[in-house]
Amino acid sequence: MLAKGVSPKKAFKAGALGRRVMVTGVDFVFRPQPTIYLLWALGDEETRRVIEAAHERAIVRVLEWIEDEVAVIRYGKDGIYRVRPPGGLVAARFRHYEARSGMPLLHDHLLLSVKGQRLDGKWGSIHTTALHEATVCASALYNELVAAEVCEALGLATEPRIVTPGRRPVMEIAGVPHELIRWTSRRSDQIAACLEELEHEYVTAVDDDGELKFLPVVSERARAKLNAMAARKTRPPKQKTLPLAQLRAWWKASAILTSGVAADVPRVPGIADEAHRPVDCAGRLRRRSGRRGACRGWWSGWVCGGTGRS
């Protein structure tokens, strides 16, 4: 288009980079902490039912919190007016039982429509920035709800576990052998090995003049991008869907053979109530809000008040 005399501004707007992408939905993925979905995969039927019920109730609670406290419909010039969707949100939920690697991974995809109905009956757009900024707090709330209900129902306790050295620990079910946790880490190991290769290529890359193209030290921002590249490069194809009962039998046999430990639920009688009491999870989320003028809606950011995360 530039060769035909079209201005750079018009050519940019006509190209893929200049087009506005219409967002029709947001995909939330809910999955419990690794030790919880390990117990779901390797435990008995009672354990499986308890964890699935806690998982489903936590999703409902988080969706209610999003409807009541986060989601707003913008309308008017530049979205100056904002209201809560009085009829709630429109969402579809899909259940998956395993990861692409074949390892157990109980998780639900919640596809949330960005369209909501106002009080006057008209449909407007949900403010997606508000949804994105509340993602971390929604995840923390979900994790806390699931862990609290599972511990109370099965008589378990939680304990802090360090996942990444130098960062704060996360709360996991106490008593789950480390060997079982490592059994599910095949995918992480593949990504870590590929990431190491990509980082080496990054710090040794040179241009046509033989000069280093990048800094000799990988920054946090560069490492995040390289990690995403490693995840894509090592991503396996989707497996054929199998019945859950068959998957659970295979997982238990594989876990015992690979880890060398018994794949049982770690009952911790007597300390569960002290180690993990049910709490007012929603009360741990504080909103920094303020009205910015007459008829304007409310929104700013959410702060996690010490809620455990995975």
Side-chain angles (χ1 to χ4, degrees), residues 269-286:
I271 69 170
D273 292 339
E274 292 297 324
H276 197 122
R277 297 187 182 93
V279 296
D280 178 16
C281 304
R284 291 190 173 191
L285 304 181
R286 306 191 305 275

Side-chain angles (χ1 to χ4, degrees), residues 75-221:
Y75 66 101
K77 185 179 180 181
D78 297 326
I80 188 173
Y81 302 112
R82 306 183 184 184
V83 296
R84 300 287 181 207
L89 300 173
V90 179
R93 184 160 58 93
F94 307 92
R95 171 72 49 85
H96 290 165
Y97 293 124
E98 59 182 326
R100 284 175 175 257
S101 61
M103 290 291 99
L105 183 61
L106 172 66
H107 64 286
D108 281 27
H109 291 267
L110 187 76
L111 187 58
L112 187 67
S113 173
V114 297
K115 294 298 181 181
Q117 196 169 24
R118 307 198 308 249
L119 283 172
D120 58 7
K122 296 182 179 179
W123 288 81
S125 296
I126 305 295
H127 189 23
T128 54
T129 302
L131 295 177
H132 290 152
E133 291 185 356
T135 299
V136 172
C137 287
S139 173
L141 176 59
Y142 164 81
N143 286 342
E144 185 72 18
L145 288 168
V146 172
E149 183 169 340
V150 169
C151 286
E152 184 178 10
L154 298 178
L156 303 177
T158 57
E159 63 181 2
R161 182 171 67 89
I162 296 177
V163 177
T164 304
R167 297 188 178 182
R168 67 187 181 114
V170 298
M171 300 304 295
E172 293 282 6
I173 300 298
V176 177
H178 181 71
E179 293 82 359
L180 281 181
I181 300 175
R182 289 293 305 163
W183 168 69
T184 63
S185 302
R186 299 177 187 176
R187 180 87 175 104
S188 300
D189 293 342
Q190 292 174 349
I191 294 175
C194 184
L195 176 62
E196 186 177 353
E197 295 178 1
L198 291 176
E199 287 183 352
H200 176 72
E201 294 176 6
Y202 180 86
V203 298
T204 57
V206 295
D207 56 21
D208 295 337
D209 298 327
E211 299 291 334
L212 289 176
K213 297 176 64 175
F214 309 107
L215 294 175
V217 178
V218 182
S219 65
E220 286 295 325
R221 184 176 182 181

